[in-house]
Amino acid sequence: MSMIEIDQVSKWYGAFQVLADCSTQVNKGEVVVVCGPSGSGKSTLIRCVNGLEGIQQGNIIVNGIALADLKTNLSKLRSRVGMVFQNFELFPHLSVTDNLTIGQIRMLGRSKEEAQARGLKMLDRVGLKAQAAKYPGALSGGQQQRVAIARALAMDPICMLFDEPTSALDPEMVKEVLDVMVELATEGMTMMCVTHEMGFARKVADRVIFMDHGRIVEDAAKSDFFGTPRSERVQLFLSKILQH
Amino acid sequence: MYEFDWSSILGALPILSHGMLVTLEITLTAIVIGILWGTLLALARLSDIRPLAWLAAGYVNLFRAVPLVMVILWFYLIVPALLKDVIGAAAGSDIRMVSALVAFALFESAYYAEIIRAGVQSVPKGQVNAAYALGMPYALTMRLVVLPQAFRNMLPLLLTQVIILFQDTSLVYVIGLADFFGAAYKVGDRDGRLVEMVLFAGAVYFVLCFGASLLVRQLRKRFAT
Ligand SMILES: Nc1ncnc2c1ncn2[C@@H]1O[C@H](COP(=O)(O)OP(=O)(O)OP(=O)(O)O)[C@@H](O)[C@H]1O
Ligand SMILES: [Mg+2]
């Protein structure tokens, strides 16, 4: 049963083709890692999944709902698809608690008390219960990213999208964020993660997708990907990443 | 040598303070309506809907290209007719005040719109995406996420514009409305003490505006950190 279906998707910025005939799917409970060189279209692809970017060709179906369908309530769908960004994107003018509750109250119609209880539970889960009253600016990058994950989780997402969640972090903070993500993965959350953390991929990914120039060049089970990658491009990329 | 005589100021205080009330009323109305209407104009100008963006741009460019004095005069000539036609109100009521309020509100909106547009653009695009990703529609995203941050960023500019507006209200003399400056002028003229009254009025404007600009500078410093 697939949670996310990407079917022959192409996208252009003017004359420039960012995505070229991309097809893949993420099944329920699956963890799929997307990697590839800078500018290959990873962010664009993942942003298309919840409709932050439109596409000109193909189809994207999330939880059985086609994004392109005019009857689709995109807002409602997005409220149940968690997304974590490279730059955290917490709302700086709101406290951590308000960051955690604003979506629940406005989009899920939860009461303030209910939303706070749920938000605090998620905050506790990422190990930051003590920071509830602070503002994002007073937190470290790693802490901000964990709050951002908690904010997404508080919406009871049916799946989670991550776009390079650790690449803006100082090295010593990468682990605390990855630990949260690993825990989520082992608990069975459906996840699509753009990341170059190959340790994470080895540990919890079911499949790894490799992109280059807007194309999905490799889409393989983890063991195949790290064992016998088919394309030279992937081999080169892996050898580069594994060097450091 | 001119002999200064400041004695008539004291007796003129009631008239002057009434004038100051008129000045403040115009200023405050223009701020409130200007910010509301200016926000809508700014968002329209940034909108993907081309005709809407063009209309807003046309409005803003028109008002910014025309001297305020003229706008005040136009509205003085137009508003009475409008009031009669549209609202059916008695044209005898305080037409000068109403037309001045309308003129200033619509004129200031154009300037606020440009400041607010810059403020909205100063909020990183990622914030909009984060709000969208939580499911928020456009209007909610603007209201809860973008505008609060935008207004914070542009507060010094907005306040500077308020100071300019406060000074510009003196232009209502063209339609004979007794704002603070107009009142000072009238009293000075009546008592034959025009020089003193105009100097006094200038001093009051200076103290208020300079004080306010110091305040803005403080704010700027605090927000810069
Ligand atoms: N709004 C846009 N307009 C025009 N071109 C864009 C736009 N957004 C992205 N691009 C281009 O599309 C290509 C893919 O961008 P994308 O951000 O998806 O790459 P990426 O794989 O995520 O790269 P990175 O690893 O640097 O994050 C890049 O060449 C980028 O310059
Ligand atoms: Mg990217």
Side-chain angles (χ1 to χ4, degrees), chain B residues 15 30-31 45 50 60 62 71 79 89 95 103 108 127 138 143 151 156 166 169 180 198 205 209 218:
Chain B
I15 299 177
I31 292 172
R45 221 182 153 176
R50 284 291 171 80
V60 168
L62 175 70
V71 176
V79 165
I95 286 307
E108 285 302 310
Q127 289 284 304
Y138 172 82
R143 189 154 67 78
F151 274 100
F166 178 74
T169 51
F180 180 66
V198 172
Y205 277 110
C209 293
Q218 282 303 113

Side-chain angles (χ1 to χ4, degrees), chain A residues 5-191:
Chain A
E5 244 181 275
I6 297 170
D7 182 25
Q8 300 188 318
V9 166
S10 293
K11 175 177 175 66
W12 287 263
Y13 284 121
F16 175 71
Q17 186 162 15
V18 225
L19 297 177
D21 201 24
C22 294
S23 293
T24 187
Q25 80 292 324
V26 180
N27 292 324
K28 266 192 186 135
E30 216 177 11
V31 176
V32 173
V33 161
V34 182
C35 61
S38 181
S40 57
K42 308 177 298 292
S43 298
T44 307
L45 182 69
I46 205 167
R47 289 151 58 85
C48 287
V49 170
N50 66 352
L52 287 181
E53 303 272 357
I55 56 175
Q56 280 90 39
Q57 257 174 41
N59 263 311
I60 294 178
I61 297 163
V62 178
N63 200 27
I65 300 165
L67 295 195
D69 192 335
L70 289 176
K71 290 194 293 281
T72 296
N73 183 338
L74 206 53
S75 264
K76 199 171 163 196
L77 186 67
R78 280 175 182 155
S79 70
R80 301 303 303 280
V81 174
M83 185 151 195
V84 176
F85 300 86
Q86 185 170 357
N87 294 315
F88 330 133
E89 304 299 352
L90 292 176
F91 304 131
H93 59 300
L94 300 178
S95 70
V96 166
T97 303
D98 289 342
N99 266 279
L100 291 166
T101 56
I102 190 170
Q104 298 183 68
I105 294 171
R106 298 287 175 164
M107 301 323 301
L108 303 181
R110 290 182 181 158
S111 72
K112 198 174 167 198
E113 293 72 33
E114 206 181 348
Q116 279 180 349
R118 179 82 188 144
L120 279 181
K121 202 167 151 203
M122 291 303 116
L123 198 59
D124 192 24
R125 182 169 172 182
V126 299
L128 292 172
K129 202 170 190 175
Q131 319 293 333
K134 288 192 181 156
Y135 279 79
L139 303 180
S140 73
Q143 289 175 325
Q144 288 189 51
Q145 194 61 297
R146 284 189 281 157
V147 171
I149 295 174
R151 176 174 70 180
L153 290 177
M155 303 290 283
D156 296 322
I158 51 176
C159 63
M160 291 279 289
L161 308 173
F162 293 83
D163 187 3
E164 305 209 32
T166 57
S167 59
L169 295 176
D170 292 335
E172 70 269 21
M173 294 172 189
V174 170
K175 189 174 175 301
E176 65 187 57
V177 171
L178 286 180
D179 285 349
V180 170
M181 291 171 62
V182 167
E183 199 186 304
L184 265 181
T186 44
E187 281 169 17
M189 175 64 79
T190 308
M191 295 163 67

Side-chain angles (χ1 to χ4, degrees), chain B residues 26-103:
Chain B
I26 296 174
T27 306
L28 285 179
T29 309
I31 292 172
V32 172
I33 297 179
I35 285 181
L36 291 176
W37 180 220
T39 302
L40 290 180
L41 283 169
L43 294 180
R45 221 182 153 176
L46 290 169
S47 142
D48 291 332
I49 307 164
R50 284 291 171 80
L52 200 61
W54 286 333
L55 274 179
Y59 178 100
V60 168
N61 289 329
L62 175 70
F63 273 100
R64 282 165 60 95
V66 170
L68 176 54
V69 183
M70 251 177 230
V71 176
I72 296 169
L73 209 51
W74 279 345
F75 277 91
Y76 176 58
L77 299 173
I78 294 170
V79 165
L82 275 185
L83 277 185
K84 240 188 253 158
D85 292 356
V86 183
I87 321 171
S93 61
D94 197 358
I95 286 307
R96 282 180 303 192
M97 187 62 180
V98 175
S99 72
L101 289 176
V102 173

